[in-house]
Amino acid sequence: MIPSDFIDELLAKTDIVDIIDAYVPLKKSGANYMACCPFHKEKTPSFSVSPSKQFYHCFSCGAHGSALGFVMEHQGLSFVEAVQFLADRTGMTVPQVKGKSENPEVRARRKQQQQTLEETTAAAAAFYQQKLAQDARAAAYLQQRGLSADIIERYGLGYAPDDWQALAGAITPYPNTALMDSGMIIEKEGRHYDRFRDRVMFPIRNPRGQVIGFGGRVLDKGEPKYLNSPETPLFDKGRNLYGLYEGREAIRSAARILVVEGYMDVVALAQFGIGYAVASLGTATTAEHIKLLMRQTDAVYFCFDGDKAGRKAAWRALENALPLLKDDKALHFLFLPAEHDPDSYIRAYGAAAFEDALLHQSQPLSAYFWQALSEPLDLSTQEGKAELIKTSSGLLAQIQAPALAYLLRQELSRLVGIDEHNLARLLGQEAPARRQPSAQNYRLPKETFRQPEMSTLVQKQIRALLINPQWALYTDLPDYLNLDGDLACLACLAERIQASVVPLSSGAVLELMRDSGHQHTVTRLFQEAMRAPEEHPAGSEEDRQAFQDGMRMINVRLMQQQIQALMSRHRQGGLSDEEKTLLTRLLHSQHTPDAH
Ligand SMILES: [Zn+2]
């Protein structure tokens, strides 16, 4: 958890124009900067960056956000990685608030170690690349696999010579701690030697492009066929995917990502023009992998061999994905004929056939889910149906995506022939969803939040506040009220801005709302504000006055609603002493000039 104060300060010290310009050359246009949008294909620029508000927005596809959001989207980094990226640029140190904060000296030492390891793996990668160019046998091997110089270069392929201490020629002293800690050398009975010998080398890069480990494949016979770097302080297998860095552009332009089993598959697919494939690194697909994949794009395809091991790996991936599924993300599973892997398949049938299979023969997660579960069962018998309910219920319970969960339950109901209502009871789902406990305990009737003019006004205020965060000062909603819908969003927005110690730009406010539970509303209203720039207040004295009037109006309406609700309960004789006091106070303040 990174404190939001730090994010505020980080964004205050970062200029979004610098950040974006490094990836997408910007042209000044009036008060803003423009470019062709990096998030969708276009010929005329509709991507705008506001230096004063510190946000970007695409008028065509609606992509928008802060400098942090841009780095996340464009570089495919997680929130924490993006924070680290910007902090490195501005020379700030990201505070650790998980448990005890880390001693700055320890942190500095760790960072230093990290850097030394990265330098070591980078030097090894360069050495292997150079050796590949000098070794006719290795070069012939790659050529025979059909790999072009371009692909070899893009993936940084190399060759580890058939020599016990080849790395001594690139890294001195040999041995050293960094060579040990990065897993490049092995110690046995006091002797040190290279882990990788006589192998084609596949450098594994992190999302920032740094080499964190290697995969090595034997040239001809020899065991093991594939050898990977061990887990090291740099290389966490469960959190990295081979080919992600190299495939970023292709993933974005295809709007999908393909997960295969081996790094040779990734490279072979890229050779045939399918550059959006990645591979896990000798591990099953972990939950962290799934998160990483879903951050890249909305459509994730898994391609596994059709054999038993492939089926098992696919099911593991599905199980790990269930709790993380979102209704706007689609997962698909493709099983190749048993005798093929992607490498051999694409060589035999070509890229068009492969993509055609991917798009038309893969199963969406929901179909694969039921197929895999019902395959071993006889659903024409009562026992088979009971077994399906038993095996699926625990899995269904893990799904958080509401629409998908509903559709899967509906399908289960069809498969076992029990109506949804009874099935829900069988699955133990009749209890209503638990609500978040709240300090605010006074509830207004639902209609309050649904009145159209109220709703329009609240949305207008949110838009104004997103564009002019400094106006949070003028928001003052009753804090004992249990607010709902857009009003809850407005209150949360105002509260978070007020809690900040530095003045916030609009971009920083978007960040502030990232985990608020109101991000959807904020996104929608921000886009609306951007679509009608002439309507959103420019920040003049007059605009501020209008905003204040709007807040006052909302408060008056809330108060009237409360009074009505209390009066009607009073008539039924149901007011507590506390509520009576509240009613008296409200009736009184309604007539004071301050509240109009
Ligand atoms: Zn766009």
Side-chain angles (χ1 to χ4, degrees):
M1 186 64 188
I2 298 165
S4 65
D5 283 356
F6 178 79
I7 307 290
D8 297 348
E9 212 186 313
L10 178 65
L11 288 175
K13 286 191 181 167
T14 302
D15 185 3
I16 193 168
V17 176
D18 284 350
I19 301 290
I20 297 184
D21 192 49
Y23 303 101
V24 186
L26 297 172
K27 274 216 178 71
K28 185 111 173 114
S29 160
N32 295 333
Y33 290 82
M34 299 294 294
C36 282
C37 178
F39 302 109
H40 82 279
K41 278 191 181 140
E42 64 176 6
K43 290 210 177 78
T44 38
S46 48
F47 181 78
S48 126
V49 180
S50 160
S52 60
K53 305 287 183 196
Q54 289 291 308
F55 62 66
Y56 68 91
H57 178 255
C58 171
F59 289 94
S60 295
C61 72
H64 69 271
S66 65
L68 203 46
F70 180 84
V71 175
M72 289 173 71
E73 287 299 317
H74 194 261
Q75 301 297 95
L77 299 183
S78 71
F79 180 73
V80 175
E81 287 165 343
V83 169
Q84 188 63 57
F85 176 87
L86 291 185
D88 287 347
R89 279 185 60 117
T90 50
M92 290 174 74
T93 310
V94 184
Q96 238 59 35
V97 288
K98 202 191 285 168
K100 246 186 250 152
S101 66
E102 198 181 7
N103 174 327
E105 271 172 49
V106 175
R107 196 187 310 136
R109 253 204 315 277
R110 201 166 44 89
K111 213 174 161 186
Q112 179 62 47
Q113 187 211 14
Q114 184 102 354
Q115 209 173 337
T116 315
L117 294 185
E118 279 172 9
E119 283 163 13
T120 302
T121 47
F127 174 74
Y128 292 144
Q129 265 181 298
Q130 186 198 334
K131 287 294 158 194
L132 176 64
Q134 296 165 0
D135 191 282
R137 187 167 137 266
Y141 171 81
L142 292 179
Q143 204 176 15
Q144 167 228 322
R145 312 235 16 163
L147 299 182
S148 66
D150 184 40
I151 289 292
I152 290 171
E153 168 81 29
R154 190 195 307 168
Y155 286 87
L157 303 192
Y159 171 64
D162 192 5
D163 180 340
W164 289 94
Q165 296 192 332
L167 283 174
I171 297 157
T172 48
Y174 185 106
N176 69 30
T177 325
L179 277 168
M180 284 297 290
D181 291 349
S182 59
M184 297 311 297
I185 61 173
I186 293 172
E187 194 222 313
K188 210 171 187 182
E189 290 155 12
R191 288 205 42 194
H192 293 83
Y193 55 91
D194 288 11
R195 176 181 301 272
F196 299 100
R197 297 178 310 278
D198 193 23
R199 280 171 186 272
V200 173
M201 298 300 289
F202 298 75
I204 298 155
R205 296 177 171 125
N206 67 12
R208 283 178 292 150
Q210 276 131 349
V211 177
I212 54 175
F214 291 89
R217 190 198 189 282
V218 288
L219 279 169
D220 10 64
K221 282 172 221 81
E223 285 294 324
K225 196 165 162 194
Y226 292 100
L227 182 66
N228 291 331
S229 291
E231 297 262 336
T232 72
L234 280 187
F235 184 30
D236 181 346
K237 292 184 188 180
R239 287 171 187 270
N240 283 286
L241 291 163
Y242 177 73
L244 190 56
Y245 174 76
E246 293 82 355
R248 249 177 8 209
E249 290 295 320
I251 293 164
R252 197 173 309 128
S253 75
R256 60 175 170 268
I257 191 165
L258 169 65
V259 188
V260 294
E261 290 182 75
Y263 27 74
M264 200 58 219
D265 295 322
V266 172
V267 177
L269 288 165
Q271 180 65 56
F272 280 83
I274 297 176
Y276 50 82
V278 299
S280 58
L281 299 148
T283 63
T285 312
T286 65
E288 290 301 327
H289 285 145
I290 305 269
K291 282 189 216 164
L292 187 59
L293 289 163
M294 296 205 303
R295 271 211 308 275
Q296 311 303 319
T297 178
D298 293 342
V300 182
Y301 288 80
F302 293 93
C303 179
F304 292 97
D305 304 350
D307 59 8
K308 211 170 149 202
R311 300 246 159 212
K312 209 172 145 194
W315 187 254
R316 275 288 295 281
L318 176 139
E319 279 182 322
N320 282 327
L322 286 179
L324 302 168
L325 294 175
K326 296 190 175 123
D327 284 331
D328 56 352
K329 304 276 170 183
L331 272 58
H332 291 260
F333 293 81
L334 176 68
F335 294 98
L336 293 175
E339 68 278 16
H340 277 299
D341 56 26
D343 181 14
S344 66
Y345 189 93
I346 202 161
R347 275 171 217 289
Y349 303 106
F354 183 86
E355 276 201 310
D356 189 65
L358 192 65
L359 299 183
H360 301 113
Q361 286 163 40
S362 65
Q363 287 179 299
L365 177 134
S366 52
Y368 172 54
F369 182 85
W370 292 120
Q371 191 227 314
L373 283 179
S374 34
E375 217 164 37
L377 304 173
D378 180 359
L379 289 185
S380 65
T381 67
Q382 298 304 315
E383 288 75 10
K385 288 176 181 171
E387 185 62 24
L388 185 64
I389 295 174
K390 207 174 98 194
T391 50
S392 64
S393 61
L395 297 168
L396 289 173
Q398 293 177 37
I399 301 173
Q400 315 263 333
L404 182 71
Y406 174 76
L407 292 170
L408 284 174
R409 259 183 245 123
Q410 222 177 19
E411 178 64 9
L412 177 60
S413 147
R414 196 188 64 78
L415 286 169
V416 297
I418 300 179
D419 75 68
E420 285 166 55
H421 183 72
N422 288 327
L423 188 63
R425 263 217 312 252
L426 272 175
L427 297 174
Q429 277 157 354
E430 67 266 71
R434 217 173 301 140
R435 276 192 64 92
Q436 285 287 92
S438 165
Q440 295 143 337
N441 47 23
Y442 189 79
R443 229 168 245 257
L444 281 183
K446 271 266 184 261
E447 304 78 69
T448 310
F449 305 102
R450 294 211 194 107
Q451 290 161 343
E453 64 285 29
M454 180 77 151
S455 166
T456 314
L457 176 57
V458 172
Q459 290 178 5
K460 189 174 148 210
Q461 297 296 93
I462 295 175
R463 284 194 298 265
L465 205 49
L466 287 171
I467 305 300
N468 303 280
Q470 69 278 17
W471 291 348
L473 203 63
Y474 308 111
T475 57
D476 185 19
L477 292 164
D479 58 5
Y480 54 87
L481 269 186
N482 201 336
L483 300 176
D484 215 344
D486 291 346
L487 259 173
C489 175
L490 177 61
C492 170
L493 181 63
E495 192 187 322
R496 289 192 176 199
I497 298 172
Q498 284 171 354
S500 166
V501 287
V502 293
L504 298 176
S505 63
S506 298
V509 170
L510 292 175
E511 282 315 319
L512 215 52
M513 296 300 282
R514 189 180 283 283
D515 63 346
S516 64
H518 298 291
Q519 210 192 351
H520 189 73
T521 310
V522 168
T523 298
R524 181 170 50 85
L525 293 176
F526 181 83
Q527 285 176 336
E528 275 177 29
M530 289 298 105
R531 270 199 295 276
E534 65 288 354
E535 272 173 38
H536 68 67
S540 69
E541 180 57 21
E542 223 170 294
D543 293 332
R544 185 188 55 76
Q545 193 60 51
F547 179 81
Q548 268 184 285
D549 291 344
M551 285 316 300
R552 211 170 285 135
M553 189 95 79
I554 290 171
N555 274 315
V556 169
R557 296 299 293 275
L558 280 174
M559 195 192 296
Q560 288 167 347
Q561 292 293 328
Q562 258 179 297
I563 293 174
Q564 272 174 24
L566 285 166
M567 294 283 255
S568 93
R569 287 245 293 285
H570 181 53
R571 278 194 293 274
Q572 294 155 7
L575 284 195
S576 68
D577 286 350
E578 223 171 299
E579 285 170 330
K580 278 179 199 152
T581 318
L582 179 62
L583 178 59
T584 319
R585 212 179 73 204
L586 289 172
L587 285 169
H588 176 74
S589 65
Q590 194 182 26
H591 298 110
T592 55
D594 182 46
H596 295 287

